[in-house]
């Protein structure tokens, strides 16, 4: 039997997968002190896409909101996630900007990081880990899992060996975005990773896309995983991860121990359910097992993007064809892991291939950059015919001749006109200045969010019910009226 630690993902992956990163600070602040006292080893909180979405769609200052959230949880280390070569923008981010991003998150109180690179540019991960360590942060070296003929146990053992050899890496994170890991695969995978982990803890994160991630967690613990990522029940499952509620129950039934105060779980779940209902966001999800997901391995958020792209073309009926094309494009591009940015790149190419009716007739710049090698080395060679079509694109010669720039900090401030203010630089690297101005005109960050339990919304709900009722009776000292529909 083992002692298992939990990492809370309610405020990061839970809301990313279910709410599209639209969690404003006031939605969470009434219950973050409870989350802080629940017994989690770490609370995952920040990601760069959260900043962009908050500015563009919510007109909320992400730095101000982050400061409020950090202040509300003083007892538990708070985590941020970073893609080593592009966490601040979708494409390539200059190394200097990535360094500033990690430094400023630390300065605002983050004390844990999960660092990843889908193509395992470990030198870039190492550079960021060193910055985090200057603030005494805990750092997880992340292995974004994917199924393919080239991603065998030897592949993952090699990555675990290289990551665990870095003194700045405190744990290894096995991150399954597609929720495809099952007992059979885990039975050899986790021991292979553990054998190269140099005694460092192994974490596991599995998005419950196929409805089997809670079972996979139980199996992973048996094979040596000691840290599990979960979310509040209302923010769990479906494209999110398993709930803390069911995993505490499962582990206790299996004889394992944990530090979670389960009496604190319900008010947190109730709060996020109420916010979701008021805002019109997803909550309390569950997915059925769909074997086709093993071929596409599309993350939860990406499925919504594919649907929206097809709806814009009035071609939603083509979704099954697009999913088949996703699997084919992924194979042709050398089986990149289906996480940002490659899930988006593979999905976009698949949609374009179906919409245009001619494969690789329209090729995004980022796909050309990937083919040229600017993102790193693909896990397997790119299919020859696909490579020829990609490199025949009109922009291919120009992109090949112009590798991504590496401006230093001074040059970045000059370009953005931010005069040495690193927080402002990061905002302006994310979105146009006009979006930032709209955000600031919207006023200060709200510390609460109206839910269906608030008096005003309750009254609206009552009026809606009355409007839909077959009979409405109004009584007062001056009036007694019955209306029938």
């Amino acid at each position: 039997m083992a002692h298992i630690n939990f990492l809370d993902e309610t405020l990061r992956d839970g809301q990313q997968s279910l709410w599209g990163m639209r969690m404003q600070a006031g939605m969470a602040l009434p219950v973050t002190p409870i989350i802080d006292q629940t017994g989690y080893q770490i609370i995952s909180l920040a990601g760069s896409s959260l900043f962009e979405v908050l500015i563009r769609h919510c007109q909320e200052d992400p730095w101000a909101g982050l400061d409020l959230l950090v202040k509300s949880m003083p007892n538990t280390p708070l985590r941020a996630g970073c893609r080593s070569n592009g966490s601040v923008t979708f494409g390539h981010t200059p190394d200097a900007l990535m360094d500033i991003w990690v430094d400023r998150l630390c300065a605002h109180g983050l004390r844990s990081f999960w660092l990843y690179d889908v193509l395992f540019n470990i030198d870039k991960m190492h550079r960021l880990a060193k910055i985090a360590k200057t603030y005494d942060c805990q750092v997880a070296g992340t292995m974004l899992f994917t199924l393919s003929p080239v991603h065998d146990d030897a592949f993952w053992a090699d990555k675990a060996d290289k990551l665990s050899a870095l003194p700045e890496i405190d744990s290894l994170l096995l991150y399954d975005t597609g929720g495809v890991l099952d007992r059979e695969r885990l039975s050899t995978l986790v021991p292979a990773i553990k054998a190269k982990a140099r005694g460092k803890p192994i974490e596991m994160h599995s998005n419950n896309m196929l409805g089997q991630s809670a079972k996979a967690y139980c199996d992973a613990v048996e094979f040596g995983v000691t840290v599990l990522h979960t979310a509040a029940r209302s923010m769990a499952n479906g494209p999110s991860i398993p709930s803390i509620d069911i995993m505490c129950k499962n582990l206790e039934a299996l004889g394992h121990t944990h530090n979670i105060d389960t009496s604190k779980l319900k008010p947190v779940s109730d709060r996020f359910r109420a916010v979701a209902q008021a805002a019109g966001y997803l909550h309390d999800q569950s997915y059925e097992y769909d074997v086709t997901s093993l071929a596409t391995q599309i993350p939860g958020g990406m499925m919504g993007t594919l649907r929206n792209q097809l709806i814009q073309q009035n071609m939603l009926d083509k979704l099954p064809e697009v999913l088949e094309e996703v699997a084919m494009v992924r194979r042709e591009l050398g089986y990149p892991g289906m996480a940002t940015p490659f899930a988006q790149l593979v999905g976009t190419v698949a949609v374009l291939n179906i919409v245009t009716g001619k494969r690789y007739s329209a090729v995004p710049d980022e796909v050309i950059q990937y083919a040229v090698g600017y993102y790193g080395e693909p896990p397997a060679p790119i299919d020859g015919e696909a490579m020829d079509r990609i490199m025949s694109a009109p922009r291919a010669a120009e992109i090949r001749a112009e590798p991504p720039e590496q401006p230093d900090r001074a040059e970045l401030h000059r370009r953005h006109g931010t005069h040495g203010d690193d927080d402002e630089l990061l905002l302006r690297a994310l979105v146009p200045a006009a979006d930032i101005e709209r955000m600031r005109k919207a006023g200060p960050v709200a510390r609460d969010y109206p839910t269906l339990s608030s008096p005003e919304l309750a009254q609206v709900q009552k009026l809606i019910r009355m409007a839909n009722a077959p009979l409405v009776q109004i009584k007062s000292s001056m009036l007694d009226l019955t209306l029938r529909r």
Side-chain angles (χ1 to χ4, degrees), residues 143-147 151-154 156-157 172-195 202-208 211-228 242 247 254 294:
M143 297 176 288
L144 285 163
F145 182 80
T146 188
L147 289 173
H151 290 89
D152 56 12
D153 287 349
W156 296 111
L172 298 180
L173 169 55
L174 178 60
Y175 199 119
D176 179 15
T177 60
V180 297
L181 281 169
D182 57 16
R183 181 179 180 83
E184 181 180 4
R185 187 71 189 88
L186 287 163
S187 67
T188 59
L189 174 65
V190 174
I193 292 172
K194 187 176 181 180
I202 301 173
E203 306 178 26
M204 185 170 171
H205 181 115
S206 183
N207 293 86
N208 206 13
Q212 64 180 8
S213 295
K215 173 64 166 60
Y217 276 5
C218 294
D219 295 331
V221 166
E222 179 182 337
F223 298 125
V225 168
T226 58
V227 182
L228 298 176
M247 288 315 306
L254 293 171
L294 295 174

Side-chain angles (χ1 to χ4, degrees), residues 23-250:
M23 187 196 80
Q24 299 169 59
M27 295 175 169
L29 283 169
V31 292
T32 48
I34 302 176
I35 299 174
D36 186 42
Q37 299 163 10
T38 300
Y40 293 106
Q41 182 184 54
I42 296 170
I43 297 169
S44 191
L45 182 60
S48 60
S49 55
L50 171 63
F51 275 44
E52 182 177 359
V53 170
L54 285 174
I55 297 169
R56 284 183 179 275
H57 300 287
C58 305
Q59 288 76 54
E60 178 165 294
D61 183 344
W63 287 122
L66 180 64
D67 289 342
L68 288 171
L69 291 167
V70 169
K71 185 178 180 180
S72 71
M73 295 180 284
N75 301 307
T76 312
L78 305 178
R79 175 175 283 189
C82 288
R83 176 165 61 95
S84 72
N85 63 351
S87 282
V88 177
T89 59
F90 178 75
H92 284 274
T93 301
D95 290 347
L97 198 58
M98 285 306 310
D99 294 349
I100 295 169
W101 173 240
V102 172
D103 180 79
R104 294 311 299 162
L105 286 173
C106 291
H108 281 266
L110 280 294
R111 287 297 177 267
S112 178
F113 284 83
W114 65 283
L115 302 177
Y116 76 98
D117 188 299
V118 183
L119 299 184
F120 289 97
N121 293 292
I122 292 178
D123 57 333
K124 289 181 177 287
M125 297 170 67
H126 190 198
R127 193 190 75 253
L128 298 180
K130 289 179 179 178
I131 295 171
K133 278 300 179 183
T134 65
Y135 289 86
D136 198 28
C137 292
Q138 186 270 352
V139 179
T142 304
M143 297 176 288
L144 285 163
F145 182 80
T146 188
L147 289 173
S148 87
V150 298
H151 290 89
D152 56 12
D153 287 349
F155 177 95
W156 296 111
D158 173 67
K159 305 310 177 190
D161 184 40
K162 291 175 178 175
L163 286 171
S164 66
L166 304 177
E168 294 82 7
I169 297 298
D170 301 292
S171 61
L172 298 180
L173 169 55
L174 178 60
Y175 199 119
D176 179 15
T177 60
V180 297
L181 281 169
D182 57 16
R183 181 179 180 83
E184 181 180 4
R185 187 71 189 88
L186 287 163
S187 67
T188 59
L189 174 65
V190 174
I193 292 172
K194 187 176 181 180
K196 298 293 185 178
R198 293 176 170 82
K200 296 180 179 181
I202 301 173
E203 306 178 26
M204 185 170 171
H205 181 115
S206 183
N207 293 86
N208 206 13
M209 297 289 292
L210 279 77
Q212 64 180 8
S213 295
K215 173 64 166 60
Y217 276 5
C218 294
D219 295 331
V221 166
E222 179 182 337
F223 298 125
V225 168
T226 58
V227 182
L228 298 176
H229 294 200
T230 58
R233 186 183 292 279
S234 60
M235 300 295 288
N237 299 315
S240 182
I241 60 257
S243 75
I244 180 63
D245 308 71
I246 195 61
M247 288 315 306
C248 284
K249 180 179 179 180
N250 288 340

Side-chain angles (χ1 to χ4, degrees), residues 250-327:
N250 288 340
L251 292 181
E252 289 167 7
L254 293 171
H256 303 296
T257 57
H258 60 77
N259 293 331
I260 299 300
D261 180 352
T262 56
S263 70
K264 298 186 182 301
L265 301 182
K266 187 177 185 302
V268 174
S269 183
D270 289 347
R271 166 66 184 183
F272 284 101
R273 181 180 296 108
V275 169
Q277 290 171 344
Y281 296 159
L282 295 177
H283 61 91
D284 295 288
Q285 295 295 289
S286 64
Y287 279 7
E288 295 180 310
Y289 185 85
D290 182 352
V291 73
T292 61
S293 295
L294 295 174
T296 62
Q297 296 184 60
I298 297 173
M302 186 60 201
M303 182 63 76
T305 300
L306 290 178
R307 292 177 62 88
N308 289 336
Q309 289 174 335
L310 291 172
I311 289 171
Q312 290 170 9
Q313 301 294 326
N314 196 28
M315 297 177 68
L316 185 57
D317 61 307
K318 298 289 186 180
L319 181 60
E321 292 179 49
V322 168
L323 295 180
E324 290 183 12
E325 185 69 12
V326 164

Side-chain angles (χ1 to χ4, degrees), residues 444-466:
V445 173
R447 300 183 180 229
D448 202 347
Y449 187 85
T451 66
L452 294 180
S453 61
S454 67
E456 296 82 2
L457 284 172
Q459 185 65 26
V460 170
Q461 289 290 94
K462 181 179 179 181
L463 291 172
I464 291 173
R465 288 194 298 271
M466 289 173 61

